Amino acid sequence: MHFLRADLELTRHSYYAATAVRDAEHAALDGDVDCDVAIVGGGLAGLSAAIELAERGFAVRLLEARELGFGASGRNGGQAIHGLACDQEVIEAQLGLDDAKKVFAMTVEALDLIRERCSQHQIDCDWRDGYLGVAVSERKARALMASAERLESVYGLPMTRIQRDALPKWIASPRYVAAVHEAKSGHLHPLKYTLGLARAARGLGVVIHEHSAVVSIEHGQRTVLRTAQGSVRANQVLLAGNVYLQGLAPALQSRIMPVGTYIVATDPVDPALAQRLIPCGAAVCDNNFVLDYFRFTGDHRMLYGGRVSYSTATPANLAQSMRERMVGTFPQLAAQRIDYAWGGFVDISMNRAPDFGRLPDHPQVYYLQGFSGHGLALTGLAGRIVAEAMAGDAARFDTFARIQHHRFPGGAWLRTPALVLGMAWYRLKDALA
Ligand SMILES: Cc1cc2nc3c(=O)[nH]c(=O)nc-3n(C[C@H](O)[C@H](O)[C@H](O)COP(=O)(O)OP(=O)(O)OC[C@H]3O[C@@H](n4cnc5c(N)ncnc54)[C@H](O)[C@@H]3O)c2cc1C
């Protein structure tokens, strides 16, 4: 899987890694142990489940192949936004409106959960309220307003609609023609948050092992996970390995694709200028198919994400090309330096809906994947509902598990080129906006 080579390179030079303190090391698994629930993956999904399970009295072990937060959870844009990566209509078509409403309400609960956890476990992760959705053209503006209208009237989420003449009070950019603001969403430093959750999990008795890649699963009355130096025998298992699971569950892997996305961070911007550029302080995201997402960090750097790589190859001149996008949005930042450039891979599903469930012949093995680039908040909720299901109340988990998913055509080697061709069409549509 050549994306893993690109991925390792992309973890270097991350603003988050440079500004978060790892206050604990977790010894690799050594020997054979027993527990109630074993979790594969030390990202936000795995850690959230670990906390929820420990709170319910389960003995939990969490195995992370590298370091906690190594994957998407420690590198993302930091934007915690309501909803899913796909439109609600996708969920309505599959589950009906009543269950689609339940799913949406859970995505809003996911935002409350972040606030609760930060306060309960004293996690200082630079949280800031607010999300601003922006449109680059009149056509995109109509789509943005229609979607806001529907989220408000059908799903009950308050949204503020902002027309062109009022835009400078919210964002000072020549690129946008309209915006919507939503106050419950927000943004944070994702690696500080991930490490904060790990501290909370440890405090609740969860045993965490880093540098402990699970290399095989043996199914039986109990499930055995093997690493190079040991094994964990568990009653129930959660696979929360995102695009990195590799050979552990091939059937799952064929339903997600690793897609690269990239971020730069500038040197600190004069706080007064930062305040002028985004007076509301929100996380900003446009509604293009290949979208730009950006925000100011706690120390006033512009953190600008965008571009994607469906081929998984890192774009040439990454920092320079991202800088050009950023300056196109904010010409006022032309003099800023780029201090950090990094990226990672998101686990997109074919319909961009999350893919939660249990392995077909092994219902004691649960999985969470397919967050499709919109998992910062939803991973928390996913951890909560998987814990509810393991504790005997699967109602909320099963609402998500009813969402049907298709395999990407072409198998492991052909699906990437097929996707690249498919995505060229969407890029063209963005360009014609
Ligand atoms: C660059 C980037 C920007 C993003 N921006 C946003 C954003 O602004 N807002 C948003 O909502 N979402 C965003 N996302 C998506 C979001 O970060 C993810 O949906 C979320 O972090 C997924 O969490 P996770 O726990 O499922 O996966 P991860 O955080 O990737 O964790 C999975 C972990 O499992 C481990 N693992 C895998 N296999 C094994 C194994 N066999 N044994 C042991 N360990 C294993 C991996 O090493 C990894 O650490 C972004 C993602 C990226 C990459």
Side-chain angles (χ1 to χ4, degrees), residues 40-45 63-65 70-73 75-79 212-214 240-242 244-245 248 261 263 293 344-346 371 373-376 379:
V40 181
L44 289 166
L63 301 166
E64 164 53 47
F70 163 81
S73 299
R75 309 186 209 171
N76 61 60
Q79 307 208 351
S212 301
V214 175
N242 196 355
Y244 305 99
L245 261 188
L248 274 194
T261 170
I263 305 179
Y293 50 97
F345 287 88
V346 297
F371 292 97
H374 198 101
L376 174 49
T379 41

Side-chain angles (χ1 to χ4, degrees), residues 235-260:
N235 298 331
Q236 302 186 87
V237 166
L238 171 63
L239 302 178
N242 196 355
V243 292
Y244 305 99
L245 261 188
Q246 298 194 65
L248 274 194
L252 295 187
Q253 251 185 283
S254 64
R255 296 208 298 266
I256 55 167
M257 275 290 306
V259 171

